[in-house]
Amino acid sequence: MTKGSLVHRVPTREKAVAFTFDDGPHPIYTEQVLEIFRKVNGKATFCMIGQEIDKFGDIAVKVHAAGHEIANHTYSHPDLTRLTLEEARAEILLGDERIRRVTGKPTGCFRPPYFAVNDEILSLAAEFGYDSIGCVNGEARDWEQPQPGVDYILEHTRATVEGGSIFLFHDGYGNRGHTIEAVRALVSELAAAGYRFVTVSELIGLAETSFRNR
């Protein structure tokens, strides 16, 4: 598969989706997400900020120990396209180092803050071996403060559900109560519909041959 663009959805015939959570880890909301996925024996991908790992390393360790994926969301969450290439490289490298301290291994996924990318940033991420990930439910806008409401988040995520979808939610910075309740409801619905909850890397591994080779 190409690493030269953001991956929003993975072509697969399987009923599998990837939930991702940005801006953590957080001692309240990340713990709640872990409990939601524990109940359905599912896995998620946590796009963590290096500075937050520095603050709440014990939570990051819990995420990893539970079998979830930790992806790089930079060290301090800047718009990488507004930095020099070396500044952007340092942001990605510092985030990568914090994740390796927790997991003991490199991560395969990267989400650029604000989805702000250009060819240089995508190439830089590819140098690290990353798949740069987007999402299908950006219109849910769960990152807004105050949050747009549980029903709003659900409505604008349900419309994007299909096998191979990558969903974006947030477990860090600000009040994430609406997000947690929306995720709880959505996970319950999708589990009842027969969906599996996998990490982004696992989802990419399900990609059809045409996606891998394009």
Side-chain angles (χ1 to χ4, degrees), residues 118-135:
N118 52 31
D119 289 343
E120 287 186 329
I121 298 303
L122 288 169
S123 295
L124 180 58
E127 288 179 22
F128 282 83
Y130 292 148
D131 291 302
S132 295
I133 57 176
C135 71

Side-chain angles (χ1 to χ4, degrees), residues 127-164:
E127 288 179 22
F128 282 83
Y130 292 148
D131 291 302
S132 295
I133 57 176
C135 71
V136 297
N137 68 325
E139 291 303 312
R141 304 184 70 82
D142 88 301
W143 60 81
E144 291 185 340
Q145 295 289 315
Q147 289 200 285
V150 176
D151 290 341
Y152 185 94
I153 295 169
L154 282 171
E155 176 186 352
H156 288 81
T157 301
R158 286 176 179 138
T160 67
V161 172
E162 64 177 280

Side-chain angles (χ1 to χ4, degrees), residues 3 72 92 95-96 107-110 124-132:
K3 294 182 182 292
N72 192 345
I92 295 173
D96 189 88
T107 184
C109 293
F110 167 70
L124 180 58
E127 288 179 22
F128 282 83
Y130 292 148
D131 291 302
S132 295

Side-chain angles (χ1 to χ4, degrees), residues 1 11 13 206-214:
M1 60 171 288
R13 295 183 178 90
L206 298 175
E208 295 171 350
T209 302
S210 60
F211 183 74
R212 292 177 184 276
N213 295 335
R214 70 178 182 178

